[in-house]
Amino acid sequence: MDGPPGDPLLDGLNPPQREAVLTTEGPVLMLAGAGTGKTAALTRRLAHLVRARLAWPSEILCVTFTNRAAREMRERVGHLIGPAVEGMPWLGTFHAIAAKMLRRHAELVGLQANYTIIDTDDQLRLLKQLIVAEGLDEKRWPARQLAGCIDRWKNRGLLPDQLDAGENEAYANGKGRAFYQLYQDRLKTLNACDFGDLLLHMLTILRGHPEVLAQYQQRFKYVMVDEYQDTNQVQYFWLRLLAQSRKNICVVGDDDQSIYSWRGAEVANILRFEKDFPGARVIRLEQNYRSTPQILAAASGLIDANTQRLGKTLWTDRHAGDRVRVIGVWDGPEEARRVGDDIERLEREGAALNQVAILVRAQYQTREFEDRFISIGLNYRIVGGFRFYERAEIRDALAYLRLIAQPADDLAFERIYNAPKRGLGAKALEKLHLLARRRGIPLAAAALEIVDTDELPARARNTFLAFMRDVARWRDLAKTQNPADLIRTVMDESGYTEALQAERTAEASGRLENLSELARAMEEYESLGDFLEHVSLVMDNEAAADEEKVTIMTMHAAKGLEFDHVFLPGWEEGVFPSQRALDEGGLASLEEERRLAYVAITRARRRCTILHAANRRIYGQWTSSIPSRFIAELPGDHVDNETTLSGGASLWRAQWTEHADPFAEVARAQPARTVTRGPGWQRAAAREFDTAPRRIAETTRSAASFAAKPRTDIEIGARVFHEKFGYGTVAAQEGNKLEIDFETSGRKRVIDSFVKPAAE
């Protein structure tokens, strides 16, 4: 399709992009792969509608997901059409546009036009009031859990009376609907709504008041939507109603980059667009301007394993470049060392640190990289979150440890005297401060003194006394217990762990993972003092803001970004794909995890390196890991496999494909393979590290035996030796898998290439 001769709006666009800009009538699905210039096509299409006088700026509805994306789009369009962009009041985020609409029709849902939008803190405070008023135990049924349920219901466009029995049971054993209704009623009394209400109320109005719907359908001649694959159900219903009359809707998205189901995003929305709007034109943007052909081929080969996708093939005219590297290492610390060494090499070769990124699946994975980079003096930044030791739950745990180590640490006392909630408020702390100033003593000492007075109510006195007794007991425990076990004890006995578990949210689960990672970090230190000194040095090592730094972030946070060099650590079953995601979502979650892998790989412009470790410490125990199934799905022609422990990706691919149900294999393989760390583990770990090169070399030489073919020199009843588990007797054999009764570790399921006949 050709436009007007010499039209500057079309300069530099490839044919599919030009087609997307000039196809103005009817429904259009712009299926835009990673790095294919979809923002350029979208903004120029918007400018073309105005320049060609197909619509006034105020007659175009253009929605995005973030304020940053909306600002960028407005700026780009402004460069193309000048001041006319100021006449586009309907260009913005879903919530901003819905709020503007709701101001005009608030009375139709029982609100006034000057309603207040409450934030998350206000929402939680209001829900706590309702829970207490109804006589419910807030510790057992936390407000944060109820807030998560309500947010999910609103994302799905459900009002209280529309909840089914299953959803009603999601909170307080069948009281979900009642509390949802109480909350909505209370909001109306306050003339307020939360962010979820903005779209839900407008959906209710559009469905229940045809005259309002007709008004907006008449107003909006064109509807455009960015990142359509990330829409949730209420956004989908809202958009479909607005566009149903004229059907001039253009959505831009990539089904292969739908990675936010935990926020309510429905990949099905983009998959069924052609069914929702019959006759829709599908325009595929497939020319990639970011990555090398090797990287694109690896990513495309991986995502081909998904069944729920529309399909496209990315290509580029760039130089072939390096293959994707897959590197196997012995354990997590070696993974951090290897990445650090590679980054230092890149820096010596002239690479800019700002163009190097480490993308992790979970926040807790950043800790080992942070510690390693501090030790070698490599500047880094955490994007989309806090540095590991700056996260709220880690600061709380460290405050407990500081108070145990130093009773005069008033700052630590203030942070944790009521964390988790113990019913001690600001007034109680004020009394302590007053007594401490008068007597010239620390707050902890003041707490011990005040419990013998009537300055506080009996409940507060008893709570302070119990807390100080706990601190005293933990201080005695610190003299004999190793730091890792100490922090686990403190978090459990203080109620901190239980409070997070009670929330039953993805955020709380992530915070629990971070606390587990903190305990793992402490295993390397002989005393509490040594660890706290290390943390002080880490916290003090903040480089100048203008210096180049390596970027560390989650894969989710990296969407939309790009770097020359990308490292992807932790590609092991249970880490990535996430075991929690698989347990909660099954096959659908597996496909989303694969889409996340696709997003991660396609962040790389020049080089992409994937790493997996043979062993990781999980909850204080060494756990043998198997490489992620995604490694087996990478096309071998575009991968350089440097795995020294597995014998190559092809062997792992054979291991995965021999099983019809990979989930069943993981379920069989995961529960075993743990070693409880006993006395002298540090010396054993040192010996293990010293002999690792020899063992790795031996494993590499015997890599051919790692395929599914069983060994013939080991039979049931044979006595064998395993490098990690020691001596044992073979109890059962299935292919190349052995079940062995080890003398010190109990029964474990191992692969036969990791054992050898015991010396007579």
Side-chain angles (χ1 to χ4, degrees):
M1 181 177 294
D2 295 324
D7 187 347
L9 286 179
L10 303 179
D11 289 348
L13 298 183
N14 61 41
Q17 288 175 322
R18 291 165 63 94
E19 181 183 0
V21 170
L22 297 175
T23 304
T24 59
E25 305 308 304
V28 176
L29 169 57
M30 198 189 307
L31 200 60
T36 56
K38 59 102 174 173
T39 303
L42 183 64
T43 53
R44 297 201 193 190
R45 186 180 194 274
L46 186 57
H48 173 67
L49 293 175
V50 176
R51 288 272 294 272
R53 299 187 179 181
L54 296 173
W56 292 103
S58 60
E59 294 176 322
I60 302 172
L61 172 64
C62 183
V63 289
T64 66
F65 273 87
T66 66
N67 290 319
R68 180 178 62 82
R71 284 195 303 270
E72 180 183 356
M73 188 174 299
R74 187 174 291 275
E75 289 171 2
R76 288 201 186 194
V77 174
H79 288 311
L80 296 171
I81 65 175
V85 73
E86 300 303 324
M88 304 188 75
W90 304 105
L91 190 164
T93 66
F94 278 97
H95 288 113
I97 292 173
K100 185 178 298 185
M101 289 180 173
L102 187 57
R103 295 287 179 194
R104 302 181 176 192
H105 311 285
E107 73 283 354
L108 297 179
V109 287
L111 298 173
Q112 300 173 31
N114 63 342
Y115 65 82
T116 301
I117 304 174
I118 66 172
D119 60 19
T120 302
D121 289 341
D122 288 336
Q123 180 190 31
L124 291 174
R125 186 158 49 248
L126 177 55
L127 290 174
K128 286 179 183 178
Q129 293 172 3
L130 295 175
I131 291 169
V132 172
E134 292 299 308
L136 210 61
D137 183 358
E138 205 271 331
K139 290 185 177 179
R140 183 179 181 188
W141 303 105
R144 196 174 294 276
Q145 181 190 355
L146 178 56
C149 291
I150 291 174
D151 183 59
R152 183 175 72 249
W153 296 329
K154 291 184 177 182
N155 285 341
R156 293 173 57 191
L158 297 175
L159 296 169
D161 60 359
Q162 295 173 322
L163 298 186
D164 60 25
E167 292 293 353
N168 188 39
E169 291 289 332
Y171 182 76
N173 297 327
K175 296 182 180 179
R177 181 186 299 112
F179 272 98
Y180 185 10
Q181 187 64 62
L182 285 171
Y183 174 63
Q184 294 300 95
D185 291 344
R186 181 61 177 153
L187 285 176
K188 287 184 180 179
T189 301
L190 297 172
N191 190 34
C193 62
D194 60 27
F195 283 99
D197 282 324
L198 297 175
L199 279 157
L200 183 62
H201 282 331
M202 276 312 305
L203 181 62
T204 301
I205 291 169
L206 295 177
R207 283 174 167 173
H209 299 271
E211 72 284 0
V212 177
L213 175 59
Q215 174 188 338
Y216 284 107
Q217 288 179 337
Q218 180 65 26
R219 171 184 293 273
F220 299 133
K221 291 185 176 180
Y222 296 94
V223 176
M224 298 175 63
V225 190
D226 192 16
E227 302 288 6
Y228 190 66
Q229 79 281 349
D230 293 334
T231 53
N232 59 34
Q233 285 180 284
V234 71
Q235 292 163 342
Y236 164 77
F237 293 141
W238 181 76
L239 287 167
R240 194 173 65 175
L241 282 172
L242 293 174
Q244 202 59 242
S245 176
R246 297 180 183 270
K247 294 184 172 56
N248 286 336
I249 179 172
C250 173
V251 302
V252 185
D254 182 2
D255 53 321
D256 290 334
Q257 296 189 73
S258 180
I259 58 174
Y260 296 117
S261 66
W262 47 279
R263 291 183 186 168
E266 292 274 354
V267 69
N269 293 346
I270 193 170
L271 295 177
R272 65 173 172 237
F273 182 82
E274 293 175 88
K275 181 178 179 181
D276 290 335
F277 296 94
R281 177 172 294 188
V282 179
I283 301 172
R284 286 175 166 81
L285 304 188
E286 298 176 311
Q287 183 175 359
N288 179 280
Y289 296 95
R290 175 189 301 156
S291 305
T292 65
Q294 297 280 17
I295 292 172
L296 292 181
S300 297
L302 172 65
I303 201 63
D304 277 345
N306 272 5
T307 58
Q308 297 299 309
R309 61 189 299 258
L310 297 172
K312 60 187 169 302
T313 303
L314 297 186
W315 63 276
T316 181
D317 55 11
R318 295 184 59 189
H319 181 267
D322 297 336
R323 294 184 180 187
V324 172
R325 291 193 304 166
V326 175
I327 300 175
V329 295
W330 180 250
D331 57 15
E334 184 184 342
E335 180 180 64
R337 287 193 297 272
R338 178 64 185 262
V339 171
D341 291 346
D342 281 3
I343 293 175
E344 288 186 313
R345 175 182 55 78
L346 289 172
E347 190 177 21
R348 288 193 299 270
E349 294 173 356
L353 291 184
N354 286 342
Q355 288 302 320
V356 179
I358 300 170
L359 308 183
V360 298
R361 175 62 181 86
Q363 289 277 6
Y364 72 86
Q365 291 176 256
T366 68
R367 198 274 306 169
E368 283 185 337
F369 292 101
E370 293 185 63
D371 283 356
R372 178 61 183 172
F373 293 173
I374 289 294
S375 69
I376 63 177
L378 188 62
N379 294 334
Y380 70 91
R381 66 166 66 87
I382 300 292
V383 175
F386 296 104
R387 293 192 300 170
F388 183 80
Y389 293 108
E390 292 175 348
R391 291 168 186 147
E393 63 277 9
I394 302 301
R395 282 187 174 272
D396 288 345
L398 293 176
Y400 272 100
L401 296 174
R402 285 164 49 196
L403 188 61
I404 291 169
Q406 176 49 265
D409 192 333
D410 284 355
L411 293 176
F413 183 94
E414 285 188 55
R415 185 173 184 93
I416 52 117
Y417 81 99
N418 198 38
K421 301 294 184 184
R422 299 185 174 90
L424 298 171
K427 290 185 178 179
L429 184 61
E430 184 180 344
K431 291 278 188 181
L432 286 190
H433 272 295
L434 183 61
L435 177 59
R437 286 196 301 270
R438 288 175 177 174
R439 297 269 288 108
I441 58 177
L443 289 175
L448 289 173
E449 286 196 12
I450 207 168
V451 297
D452 291 328
T453 73
D454 294 322
E455 293 288 341
L456 295 176
R459 181 178 178 182
R461 294 200 305 270
N462 291 335
T463 302
F464 266 130
L465 181 60
F467 174 61
M468 295 313 300
R469 283 175 175 168
D470 284 341
V471 173
R473 185 179 68 258
W474 296 330
R475 188 172 298 129
D476 288 337
L477 201 59
K479 299 174 184 176
T480 57
Q481 198 170 52
N482 67 64
D485 289 339
L486 175 65
I487 192 57
R488 294 186 185 104
T489 299
V490 170
M491 290 292 96
D492 289 344
E493 293 184 356
S494 68
Y496 201 99
T497 300
E498 183 182 3
L500 288 177
Q501 290 171 338
E503 288 186 19
R504 283 172 271 190
T505 64
E507 179 186 6
S509 296
R511 296 175 69 185
L512 286 168
E513 288 176 346
N514 289 338
L515 290 173
S516 297
E517 181 61 26
L518 175 67
R520 290 196 287 275
M522 297 179 70
E523 291 170 358
E524 303 172 13
Y525 297 88
E526 294 186 359
S527 72
L528 178 57
D530 289 343
F531 175 71
L532 290 176
E533 181 178 338
H534 164 75
V535 172
S536 297
L537 293 173
V538 171
M539 298 289 282
D540 190 50
N541 196 87
E542 179 62 19
D546 58 347
E547 290 187 5
E548 289 193 350
K549 301 176 185 178
V550 175
T551 298
I552 306 176
M553 64 197 311
T554 65
M555 296 175 182
H556 283 98
K559 187 172 179 292
L561 302 178
E562 55 188 56
F563 304 89
D564 284 345
H565 311 280
V566 171
F567 293 87
L568 306 176
W571 280 43
E572 301 125 32
E573 289 297 308
V575 178
F576 188 50
S578 161
Q579 192 62 49
R580 186 174 70 206
L582 299 184
D583 291 342
E584 294 175 357
L587 184 60
S589 286
L590 173 61
E591 295 217 343
E592 179 159 328
E593 291 285 289
R594 189 177 286 111
R595 292 194 293 269
L596 186 57
Y598 171 82
V599 168
I601 292 173
T602 54
R603 298 312 93 195
R605 284 193 289 250
R606 296 177 56 192
R607 294 187 182 91
C608 178
T609 302
I610 296 170
L611 300 100
H612 63 90
N615 305 279
R616 285 204 188 272
R617 284 170 294 179
I618 298 179
Y619 301 114
Q621 297 180 328
W622 280 104
T623 299
S624 298
S625 304
I626 60 175
S628 168
R629 68 193 75 194
F630 299 152
I631 292 177
E633 293 169 355
L634 294 170
D637 291 344
H638 304 285
V639 172
D640 278 335
N641 198 288
E642 301 177 28
T643 304
T644 57
L645 295 172
S646 68
S650 59
L651 296 178
W652 286 112
R653 186 179 296 110
Q655 180 187 3
W656 275 113
T657 55
E658 71 173 281
H659 302 285
D661 181 5
F663 285 100
E665 172 62 15
V666 174
R668 288 194 297 269
Q670 293 278 30
R673 310 186 183 184
T674 57
V675 182
T676 302
R677 175 171 289 147
W681 68 268
Q682 288 174 312
R683 292 188 298 276
R687 289 195 300 273
E688 184 175 78
F689 178 79
D690 290 340
T691 60
R694 174 180 55 79
R695 291 199 310 277
I696 290 173
E698 292 173 353
T699 306
T700 303
R701 286 194 296 271
S702 61
S705 68
F706 206 81
K709 183 180 178 181
R711 288 173 59 171
T712 58
D713 60 334
I714 295 179
E715 300 176 346
I716 295 176
R719 184 168 169 77
V720 295
F721 177 77
H722 188 280
E723 287 285 352
K724 183 168 287 293
F725 301 136
Y727 289 96
T729 302
V730 178
Q733 184 175 16
E734 179 185 349
N736 67 331
K737 312 291 193 310
L738 302 175
E739 288 190 15
I740 301 175
D741 291 323
F742 289 102
E743 295 175 357
T744 59
S745 307
R747 179 166 291 195
K748 305 294 178 187
R749 183 179 172 86
V750 302
I751 296 175
D752 58 15
S753 61
F754 281 92
V755 302
K756 58 185 179 181
E760 297 297 334

